[in-house]
């Protein structure tokens, strides 16, 4: 061990070197164990979470877009359906209207015919009744007239008229 | 710098207790500081965690910018973080705390002594060897010295020494000069002509301390950056 006295003679403090190496090693360990490790782990975790969140946001947005598209398509379809339904209803209504009108026309025609027939009947009845009455009346009148004193002139007129009527 | 450091001999090795004490003190302060900052680690960072994450991002940025190898980056980031904090704190220590008892100085910036900076430079150097050997194997690593052209071999070997020396001595020189000037202003100049110079030295010392804080931060940054540059150059094929 000749180099140790040599260092001593040169007044080199080699002990410091070793001491500093040890102190630095201990400091490295302490820093790593109590500060560096936890903090860098947390930084890494945070980095990962941020990137995860970004990925999630992208996929969420994609899904939202998909849903929006689906909804737009559904809306479009329902609009079409509604139009279809309305037009169907309109056609049906038109049909119903036509049938109702034609029914009504028919009925009206029937009623009219019936009414006409009834009227004819009534007229015929009335005429028959009237004829009968007229006959009665004329007989009554004739009776009355005959009962009255007929002047010669009147009698002549009456006969003339009667004759004239016969001629006609 | 009239005060003598405390040196004891133990197991045939000289220990400079001043440097040991100061370094231990700073290591404890850093350990306490980062543990305090990382007390409540959560997904949504609080103020303390933000500070810690800011420092981590800062040193990770240094590593990322200078080491292209992703696998090496992962291993180096913790080293860069701890090294930066340690050197930074040691640089600042001498600016606000110099403890002298009976003519012996007990606490000062450890980085103001070349052996300590050489220790850190040596760590970087050994790490760079280690990473290069892991990457290319021992043979491949040794062959890299003769790349890109064979006659560059002596220059490449020499570069290892110059890198080591410049890395350590740059830090040492800056901090040592800062302390010397601070002692000159605060001690020699202030006591040179009575009350007037004491009064005059106060703003000067104040300005120089502020500047030294700046230098200390820059040098810590430079040291870590250059460490990463050297290691980064070793792990990539030229």
């Amino acid at each position: 061990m000749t180099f140790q006295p040599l260092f001593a003679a040169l007044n080199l403090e080699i002990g410091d070197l070793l001491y500093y190496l040890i102190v630095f090693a201990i400091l490295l360990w302490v820093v790593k164990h109590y500060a560096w490790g936890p903090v860098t782990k947390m930084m890494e975790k945070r980095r990962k979470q941020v990137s995860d969140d970004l990925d999630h946001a992208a996929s969420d947005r994609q899904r939202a877009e998909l849903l929006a598209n689906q909804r737009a398509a559904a809306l479009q379809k329902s609009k079409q359906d509604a139009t279809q339904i309305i037009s169907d209803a309109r056609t049906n209504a038109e049909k119903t209207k036509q049938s109702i009108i034609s029914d009504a026309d028919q009925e009206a025609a029937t009623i009219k015919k019936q009414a006409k027939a009834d009227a004819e009947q009534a007229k015929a009845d009335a005429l028959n009744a009237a004829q009968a009455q007229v006959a009665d009346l004329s007989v009554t009148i004739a009776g009355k007239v005959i009962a009255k004193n007929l002047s010669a002139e009147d009698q002549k007129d009456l006969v003339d008229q009667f004759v004239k009527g016969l001629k006609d | 710098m009239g005060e003598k450091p405390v040196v004891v001999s133990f197991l045939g090795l000289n220990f400079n207790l001043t440097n040991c004490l100061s370094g231990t003190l700073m290591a404890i302060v850093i350990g306490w500081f980062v543990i305090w900052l990382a007390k409540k680690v959560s997904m949504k960072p609080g103020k303390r965690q933000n500070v810690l994450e800011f420092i981590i991002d800062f040193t990770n940025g240094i590593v990322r910018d200078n080491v292209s190898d992703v696998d090496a980056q992962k291993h180096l980031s913790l080293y860069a973080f701890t090294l930066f904090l340690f050197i930074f704190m040691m640089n600042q220590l001498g600016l606000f705390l110099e403890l002298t008892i009976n003519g012996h100085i007990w606490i000062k910036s450890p980085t103001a002594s070349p052996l300590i900076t050489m220790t850190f430079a040596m760590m970087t150097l050994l790490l760079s060897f280690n990473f290069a050997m892991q990457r290319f194997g021992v043979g491949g690593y040794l062959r890299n010295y003769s790349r890109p052209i064979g006659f560059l071999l002596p220059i490449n070997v020499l570069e290892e020494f110059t890198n080591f020396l410049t890395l350590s001595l740059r830090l040492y020189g800056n901090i040592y000069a800062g302390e010397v000037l601070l002692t000159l202003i605060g001690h020699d100049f202030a006591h040179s002509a009575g009350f007037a110079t004491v009064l005059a030295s106060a703003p000067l010392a104040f300005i120089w301390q502020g500047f030294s804080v700046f230098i200390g931060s820059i040098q810590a940054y430079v040291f870590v950056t250059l460490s990463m540059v050297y290691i980064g150059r070793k792990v990539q094929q030229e």
Side-chain angles (χ1 to χ4, degrees):
Chain A
M1 287 287 185
T2 51
F3 65 92
Q4 279 176 356
L6 182 71
F7 282 143
L10 282 171
N11 210 13
L12 270 178
E13 289 123 5
I14 296 299
D16 277 17
L17 194 154
L18 293 175
Y19 183 80
Y20 264 81
L21 286 179
I22 292 164
V23 165
F24 190 76
I26 293 170
L27 184 63
L28 267 180
W29 182 83
V30 168
V31 167
K32 186 189 165 101
H33 197 263
Y34 290 103
W36 178 272
V39 169
T40 47
K41 204 189 283 170
M42 194 53 75
M43 285 162 91
E44 180 62 24
K45 215 157 113 188
R46 190 185 308 137
R47 196 191 59 74
K48 208 168 273 172
Q49 198 190 345
V50 166
S51 81
D52 276 2
D53 283 357
L54 284 176
D55 288 350
H56 270 278
S59 76
D60 279 359
R61 204 178 48 222
Q62 230 162 18
R63 214 168 50 215
E65 246 166 53
L66 201 73
L67 284 176
N69 284 345
Q70 278 175 359
R71 213 172 43 220
L75 195 69
Q76 186 69 27
K77 194 174 174 302
S78 64
K79 257 185 196 160
Q80 267 173 2
D81 284 357
T83 317
Q84 185 65 40
I85 286 167
I86 286 172
S87 81
D88 281 359
R90 200 167 275 161
T91 322
N92 281 343
E94 195 67 31
K95 254 186 232 162
T96 317
K97 182 179 146 196
Q98 287 303 335
S99 80
I100 287 171
I101 286 175
S102 68
D103 282 0
D105 276 355
Q106 229 165 350
E107 208 165 327
T110 319
I111 289 170
K112 211 169 160 185
K113 219 153 117 194
Q114 188 70 39
K116 214 172 194 173
D118 284 356
E120 292 286 340
Q121 188 63 42
K123 193 177 162 190
D125 287 355
L127 273 178
N128 289 342
Q131 261 174 350
Q133 263 178 349
V134 165
D136 286 351
L137 214 62
S138 37
V139 170
T140 317
I141 291 169
K144 274 183 183 170
V145 168
I146 291 161
K148 232 168 108 180
N149 274 334
L150 274 177
S151 63
E153 245 172 312
D154 288 340
Q155 219 151 1
K156 194 184 168 264
D157 277 351
L158 197 68
V159 173
D160 281 352
Q161 265 175 15
F162 190 69
V163 171
K164 209 176 173 187
L166 285 176
K167 274 182 183 169
D168 292 338
Chain B
M1 308 295 281
E3 300 91 344
K4 272 188 276 183
V6 189
V7 179
V8 294
S9 194
F10 180 67
L11 295 174
L13 296 169
N14 284 336
F15 283 87
N16 183 335
L17 284 191
T18 309
N19 287 341
C20 292
L21 188 65
S22 309
T24 314
L25 196 68
M26 285 301 99
I28 290 169
V29 167
I30 292 165
W32 171 80
F33 181 62
V34 292
I35 289 170
W36 181 71
L37 284 181
K39 212 182 253 171
K40 282 178 286 179
V41 176
S42 65
M43 194 66 97
K44 289 178 191 163
K47 267 182 200 162
R48 292 175 190 176
Q49 199 183 340
N50 267 336
V51 171
L52 192 56
E53 285 184 9
F54 170 73
I55 304 171
I56 287 174
D57 273 340
F58 175 68
T59 55
N60 278 359
I62 299 174
V63 176
R64 248 200 324 275
D65 290 346
N66 297 303
V67 183
S68 50
D69 191 67
V70 179
D71 192 43
Q73 272 181 15
K74 226 180 292 168
H75 291 103
L76 280 171
S77 45
L78 174 64
Y79 175 67
F81 176 75
T82 315
L83 191 68
F84 176 76
L85 281 184
F86 202 24
I87 292 178
F88 177 81
M89 290 305 286
M90 288 195 295
N91 287 349
Q92 311 301 346
L93 175 64
L95 296 178
F96 58 86
L97 190 64
E98 281 207 5
L99 187 65
T100 310
I101 300 169
N102 290 337
H104 283 294
I105 185 158
W106 282 91
I107 290 177
K108 67 178 186 69
S109 280
T111 42
S113 70
L115 198 82
I116 304 304
T117 61
M118 280 178 181
T119 305
F120 288 110
M122 190 189 75
M123 258 195 293
T124 294
L125 200 68
L126 292 178
L127 265 179
S128 74
F129 292 167
N130 173 48
F131 275 108
M133 285 180 192
Q134 271 185 351
R135 186 81 200 282
F136 302 113
V138 179
Y141 160 68
L142 289 175
R143 263 197 299 282
N144 274 355
Y145 278 108
S146 58
R147 286 203 172 103
I149 311 168
F151 70 81
L152 285 178
L153 175 74
I155 294 173
N156 282 336
V157 173
L158 194 66
E159 202 187 13
E160 296 293 335
F161 290 100
T162 55
N163 281 349
F164 169 73
L165 281 177
T166 52
L167 189 60
S168 54
L169 294 184
R170 178 183 304 108
L171 178 60
Y172 155 68
N174 274 285
I175 306 306
Y176 181 68
E179 290 215 336
V180 167
L181 202 58
L182 205 57
T183 316
L184 278 177
I185 293 169
H187 198 265
D188 299 348
F189 172 64
H191 295 270
S192 58
F195 185 68
T197 48
V198 171
L199 213 62
S201 75
L204 275 178
F206 176 71
I207 290 167
W208 184 248
Q209 264 183 330
F211 190 55
S212 289
V213 168
F214 177 66
I215 290 175
S217 317
I218 291 289
Q219 285 307 316
Y221 173 71
V222 165
F223 192 93
V224 174
T225 306
L226 285 178
S227 294
M228 292 308 133
V229 168
Y230 294 153
I231 295 173
R233 264 204 328 226
K234 279 281 176 60
V235 294
Q236 74 180 29
Q237 193 107 41
E238 279 172 30

